[in-house]
Amino acid sequence: QLQFVESGGGLVQSGGSLTISCTASGFTLDYYAVGWFRQAPGKDPEGVSCISGNDYSIVYDESVAGRFRAIRHGGANTLDLRMNNLKTEDTATYYCAADATWTDCRSFLRRGRPKSEYTFWGQGTRVTVSP
């Protein structure tokens, strides 16, 4: 059974840092493009980061580039997202996801991509950034 389990979300003040984690089971991370998307209440899903399944290259959405860092731990089959200089606009539920359509990240961060186009995702972890 394929499964993602996210953890580490919580409340942090603006300008602070937080690391969230994703543990995958049933497959290894190099099978697919994997990463994070987020969704705020009443808003469309928004891609955050992606790691290619073939060369492990990483791409970020422009909204988080320079502030967030995705880290792949192949041995533990986990994917972390280190979030620095958090803003209130980062408040959302963050989901770990896989895209089996491509091994690279060509579609993972596409603007307007609905949640249903991701192959797998977890239950999400809530991140709230206070002013």
Side-chain angles (χ1 to χ4, degrees):
Q1 180 178 349
L2 303 177
Q3 184 177 356
F4 290 96
V5 178
E6 299 98 334
S7 62
L11 176 65
V12 61
Q13 68 182 91
S14 179
S17 299
L18 190 68
T19 298
I20 56 176
S21 299
C22 171
T23 299
S25 62
F27 71 104
T28 54
L29 295 177
D30 59 336
Y31 287 171
Y32 315 105
V34 297
W36 297 86
F37 69 88
R38 63 188 182 184
Q39 187 169 25
K43 302 293 184 179
D44 293 329
E46 181 181 41
V48 176
S49 67
C50 178
I51 299 179
S52 171
N54 49 22
D55 63 2
Y56 310 142
S57 60
I58 304 173
V59 293
Y60 300 92
D61 185 79
E62 293 181 357
S63 65
V64 305
R67 298 188 298 117
F68 289 12
R69 181 190 176 196
I71 305 169
R72 175 186 179 273
H73 302 281
N77 214 33
T78 60
L79 178 66
D80 295 343
L81 185 68
R82 176 65 174 175
M83 301 178 288
N84 299 310
N85 191 25
L86 283 161
K87 305 175 180 180
T88 57
E89 294 86 348
D90 296 317
T91 295
T93 298
Y94 285 70
Y95 297 88
C96 183
D99 184 358
T101 303
W102 306 96
T103 56
D104 60 32
C105 296
R106 67 183 70 188
S107 300
F108 199 99
L109 302 180
R110 180 172 57 84
R111 297 294 195 278
R113 181 183 177 95
K115 185 186 295 184
S116 61
E117 291 191 6
Y118 295 99
T119 306
F120 311 106
W121 61 89
Q123 84 287 351
T125 187
R126 176 70 173 175
V127 175
T128 302
V129 183
S130 62

